[in-house]
């Protein structure tokens, strides 16, 4: 009885094993056959995804580089606000104090024109969204007339770049801010301030972003740059190149050359950029507009 019982047990175990485990042929037949068409489709799909990823990476890189300045100009995506009259007066006095030193305002504006310009400057520093394009233009083309202003700003830029290269971003931002107290509409310094404040997660980023957007937007409305007669008006060669890169979003490697040229007694900058076709180039014209020196201030 025991041998028969053991044989029956083995037979049942073998039968259950054959029912539960499929053969190699059955297992293979359950896999979906791959055809050349599906391979081509998957290959095409992967190549499209790679190209789209590449293009999106390129566009996102450009977007990060320029902070989407043009879209911000259309939507005004920065935190700007209009202060009250009392706040404006306090800001104006603080502005004079900070520029001239001391614990209290030591200088008062004697002329109404100078007082108005000082107030516009203060409102610009505080990102007052009620400033008009004409106000921004007046500020941009009015600069400090002191003889040491140009060498001072050049020194500030060089020092800031040295600190940035050494990754001392906090000190670099402080250096840039010193330059902006002398010339608050200096586009090169504002762009550095944007980069540094964004990196340091400073609350001042929105203010610098406002200033950069408003200045470049104002400049964009002075001309389209297609000819000498329709030249874009800027303050310097550096501003022309900054506008080309950050408003026109022209990659630096596509800017082939820039030259200064006189036409009908006016000074221009002609920027040559790579065209859409092979071997083709385009020229964008910038008028170097003479700056206005603000009215003098006197001590009392």
């Amino acid at each position: 009885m025991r041998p028969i019982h053991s044989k029956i047990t083995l037979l049942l175990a073998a039968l259950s094993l054959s029912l539960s485990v499929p053969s190699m042929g059955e297992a293979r037949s359950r896999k979906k056959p791959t055809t050349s068409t599906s391979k081509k489709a998957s290959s095409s799909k992967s190549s499209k995804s790679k190209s789209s990823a590449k293009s999106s990476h390129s566009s996102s890189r450009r977007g990060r580089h320029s902070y989407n300045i043009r879209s911000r100009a259309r939507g005004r995506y920065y935190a700007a606000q209009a202060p009250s009259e009392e706040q404006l007066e306090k800001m104006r006095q603080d502005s004079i104090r900070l520029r001239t030193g001391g614990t209290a305002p030591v200088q008062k504006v004697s002329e109404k024109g100078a007082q108005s310009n000082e107030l516009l400057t203060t409102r610009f520093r505080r990102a007052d969204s009620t400033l008009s394009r004409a106000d921004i233009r007046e500020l941009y083309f009015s600069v400090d007339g002191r003889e040491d202003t140009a060498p001072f700003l050049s020194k500030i830029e060089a020092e800031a770049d040295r600190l940035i290269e050494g990754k001392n971003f906090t000190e670099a931002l402080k250096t840039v801010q010193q330059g902006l107290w002398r010339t608050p509409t200096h586009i090169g310094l504002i762009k550095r301030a944007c980069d540094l404040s964004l990196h340091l997660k400073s609350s001042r980023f929105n203010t610098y972003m406002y200033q950069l957007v408003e200045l470049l937007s104002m400049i964009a409305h002075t001309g389209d740059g297609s000819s000498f007669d329709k030249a874009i008006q800027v303050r310097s060669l550096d501003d022309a190149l900054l506008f080309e890169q950050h408003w026109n979003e022209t990659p630096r490697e596509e800017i082939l050359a820039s030259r200064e040229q006189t036409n009908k007694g006016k000074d221009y900058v002609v920027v040559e950029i790579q065209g859409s076709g092979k071997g083709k180039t385009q020229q964008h014209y910038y008028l170097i507009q003479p700056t206005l020196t603000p009215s003098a201030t006197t001590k009392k």
Side-chain angles (χ1 to χ4, degrees):
M1 287 297 291
R2 285 183 180 178
I4 294 174
H5 178 72
S6 61
K7 287 181 180 180
I8 292 173
T9 304
L10 291 172
L11 181 62
L12 289 172
L15 181 61
S16 63
L17 183 63
S18 64
L19 290 173
S20 62
V21 180
S23 65
M24 292 297 292
E26 289 174 338
R28 287 175 183 171
S29 65
R30 288 178 185 177
K31 293 181 180 180
K32 293 182 180 180
T34 57
T35 61
S36 59
T37 305
S38 63
K39 286 181 180 179
K40 288 180 180 178
S42 62
S43 174
S44 174
K45 187 176 180 181
S46 63
S47 63
K48 286 181 179 179
S49 63
K50 286 180 181 179
S51 62
S52 63
K54 185 178 180 181
S55 62
S56 64
H57 174 71
S58 175
S59 62
S60 64
R61 181 176 58 185
R62 177 179 290 185
R64 287 195 300 270
H65 183 65
S66 62
Y67 309 114
N68 294 319
I69 293 174
R70 299 187 73 162
S71 64
R72 287 174 183 264
R74 289 191 295 269
R76 302 178 76 88
Y77 294 141
Y78 39 74
Q81 56 184 347
S84 65
E85 289 295 330
E86 291 181 0
Q87 289 174 323
L88 284 174
E89 178 59 23
K90 184 178 183 303
M91 286 156 51
R92 186 177 71 83
Q93 294 295 329
D94 287 343
S95 175
I96 298 173
R97 174 178 59 79
L98 289 169
R99 284 195 300 105
T100 57
T103 57
V106 295
Q107 197 175 42
K108 290 191 176 182
V109 180
S110 59
E111 300 178 17
K112 289 185 178 180
Q115 185 174 1
S116 174
N117 185 273
E118 183 72 38
L119 188 56
L120 288 178
T121 301
T122 306
R123 291 169 62 189
F124 180 74
R125 284 198 178 101
R126 296 298 181 94
D128 182 353
S129 60
T130 61
L131 285 173
S132 67
R133 188 169 294 132
D135 294 333
I136 301 294
R137 179 185 174 87
E138 181 180 344
L139 284 173
Y140 175 67
F141 288 109
S142 299
V143 296
D144 195 310
R146 284 178 282 182
E147 294 182 355
D148 66 333
T149 295
F152 169 76
L153 293 174
S154 296
K155 182 180 178 181
I156 287 289
E157 287 187 280
E159 178 64 13
D161 290 341
R162 185 187 68 80
L163 291 168
I164 292 170
E165 188 175 351
K167 297 184 179 180
N168 193 347
F169 303 122
T170 302
E171 289 302 317
L173 181 56
K174 291 179 181 178
T175 301
V176 167
Q177 289 169 337
Q178 290 177 19
L180 288 175
W181 276 114
R182 176 72 70 92
T183 307
T185 56
H186 192 292
I187 295 177
L189 291 178
I190 295 174
K191 179 60 173 61
R192 289 176 178 86
C194 274
D195 294 339
L196 291 165
S197 58
L198 180 62
H199 179 79
L200 295 171
K201 297 181 180 179
S202 168
S203 59
R204 292 284 297 170
F205 172 75
N206 281 333
T207 297
Y208 294 130
M209 190 71 250
Y210 157 85
Q211 294 173 352
L212 188 61
V213 167
E214 291 300 313
L215 284 170
L216 295 182
S217 178
M218 179 277 296
I219 291 172
H221 283 81
T222 61
D224 61 17
S226 60
S227 64
F228 285 115
D229 293 334
K230 298 180 179 180
I232 300 167
Q233 299 174 25
V234 291
R235 207 161 57 189
S236 64
L237 168 62
D238 289 342
D239 284 3
L241 295 175
L242 286 168
F243 181 89
E244 189 65 47
Q245 291 179 48
H246 301 301
W247 185 266
N248 288 344
E249 298 183 345
T250 303
R252 186 175 299 178
E253 59 271 15
E254 292 183 11
I255 299 178
L256 305 178
S258 61
R259 67 178 186 275
E260 295 180 328
Q261 185 173 338
T262 302
N263 182 65
K264 297 180 180 179
K266 296 181 180 180
D267 296 326
Y268 293 85
V269 170
V270 182
V271 179
E272 186 176 347
I273 64 173
Q274 182 66 49
S276 56
K278 186 177 180 180
K280 293 184 178 179
T281 60
Q282 295 179 357
Q283 292 184 333
H284 292 172
Y285 296 85
Y286 293 86
L287 171 63
I288 305 298
Q289 189 81 315
T291 56
L292 303 172
T293 303
S295 300
T297 56
T298 58
K299 291 185 179 181
K300 285 190 176 182

